[in-house]
């Protein structure tokens, strides 16, 4: 067992224990607006990600992911998409992360402004690309943003996914069900459970 297993497994158990307690008053709560920016294609979002988000009976999902004309995620439009969250929701799930560089400092700044405005942002730690070396979270975009909640994903035997970004900036890592393993969807599962168990006043639309 490596150091990450030692640290992350107890946290994983804690969060699954927390989320296993269904809220008996969920149906009586008014809907919670959950803003989502996910780096999957529009088709993947509608056929996979949305299925997970709809498991939250009180969540009203607002997909703010920017797409190009082919329906693929458009990272160049990320800053404006992040800024658009204000006035829509107090909770954002960001399923995107890249190594920090001069090309994405505007994304870092947009996230800092959003969090300072009172929006809670949950992000997926993510994995390095095929041609990229794995690196610490503090060298990624999400790792540069204070108070952003970062969730990692565990695979079989409760180890981090291969090429995962890693570091103490990660709140916890969770192992998804087998049908969703290695798909980068665990952050969505965390957000839906978070929304169901949080105070309804915290995430009402502004």
């Amino acid at each position: 067992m490596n150091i990450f297993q030692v640290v992350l497994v107890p946290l994983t158990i804690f969060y699954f224990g927390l989320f296993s307690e269904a809220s008996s008053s969920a149906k009586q709560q008014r809907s919670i607006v959950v803003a989502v920016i996910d780096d999957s294609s529009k088709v993947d979002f509608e056929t996979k990600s949305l299925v997970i988000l709809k498991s939250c009976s009180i969540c009203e999902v607002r997909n703010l992911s920017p797409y190009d004309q082919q329906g693929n995620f458009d990272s160049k439009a990320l800053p404006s998409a992040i800024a658009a969250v204000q006035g829509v929701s107090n909770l954002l799930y960001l399923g995107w992360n890249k190594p920090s560089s001069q090309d994405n400092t505007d994304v870092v700044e947009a996230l800092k402004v959003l969090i300072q405005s009172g929006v809670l942002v949950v992000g997926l730690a993510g994995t390095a690309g095929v041609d990229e070396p794995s690196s610490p979270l503090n060298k990624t975009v999400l790792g540069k943003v204070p108070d952003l909640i970062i969730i990692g994903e565990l695979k079989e035997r409760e180890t981090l996914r291969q090429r995962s970004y890693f570091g103490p900036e990660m709140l916890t890592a969770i192992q998804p069900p087998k049908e969703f393993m290695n798909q980068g969807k665990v952050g969505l599962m965390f957000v839906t459970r978070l929304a169901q168990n949080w105070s309804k006043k915290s995430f009402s639309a502004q």
Side-chain angles (χ1 to χ4, degrees):
M1 178 175 287
N2 60 37
I3 186 171
F4 294 110
Q5 289 176 276
V6 173
V7 173
L8 296 174
V9 170
L11 283 171
T12 302
I13 293 172
F14 169 78
Y15 276 99
F16 270 129
L18 171 65
F19 293 155
S20 65
E21 299 178 4
S23 175
S24 60
S25 60
K27 293 183 179 180
Q28 298 176 0
Q29 296 182 15
R30 61 183 179 183
S31 62
I32 295 173
V33 178
V34 180
V36 178
I37 297 177
D38 190 78
D39 67 358
S40 60
S41 68
K42 187 175 183 180
V43 170
D44 184 83
F45 178 84
E46 293 175 348
T47 57
K48 296 180 180 180
S49 301
L50 200 55
V51 172
I52 297 171
L53 290 163
K54 284 185 175 179
S55 67
C56 173
S57 60
I58 61 173
C59 293
E60 181 182 337
V61 180
R62 301 286 181 86
N63 181 18
L64 302 181
S65 308
Y67 302 111
D68 60 20
Q69 293 182 346
Q70 288 72 43
N72 297 313
F73 183 76
D74 183 7
S75 60
K76 295 180 180 178
L78 255 180
S80 57
I82 292 168
V85 175
Q86 291 193 53
V88 172
S89 175
N90 287 333
L91 173 61
L92 168 66
Y93 169 71
L94 179 58
W96 176 93
N97 196 16
K98 293 291 181 184
S100 178
S101 71
Q102 289 296 321
D103 295 333
N104 50 42
T105 55
D106 51 351
V107 178
V108 174
E109 293 307 312
L111 286 169
K112 287 181 178 179
V113 170
L114 188 66
I115 291 174
Q116 289 170 0
S117 74
V119 175
L120 180 64
V121 180
V122 177
L124 182 67
T127 56
V130 177
D131 299 324
E132 300 173 3
S134 182
S135 62
L137 271 170
N138 62 11
K139 293 186 177 180
T140 69
V141 171
L142 300 193
K144 298 287 185 182
V145 183
D147 301 320
L148 193 153
I149 298 173
I150 302 177
I151 304 299
E153 180 175 338
L154 298 174
K155 58 179 184 178
E156 295 88 348
R157 299 182 181 177
E158 297 185 325
T159 57
L160 287 171
R161 288 182 65 186
Q162 188 175 10
R163 308 180 66 80
S164 291
Y165 298 125
F166 58 89
E169 296 80 10
M170 185 186 297
L171 174 65
T172 188
I174 298 172
Q175 186 180 75
K178 286 185 177 180
E179 61 267 30
F180 291 106
M181 200 163 286
N182 296 315
Q183 295 184 31
K185 303 298 184 184
V186 72
L188 291 168
M189 298 175 186
F190 181 92
V191 166
T192 57
R193 294 293 188 177
L194 177 65
Q196 288 173 342
N197 286 274
W198 207 271
S199 167
K200 64 183 179 181
K201 294 182 181 180
S202 298
F203 300 126
S204 58
Q206 295 177 342

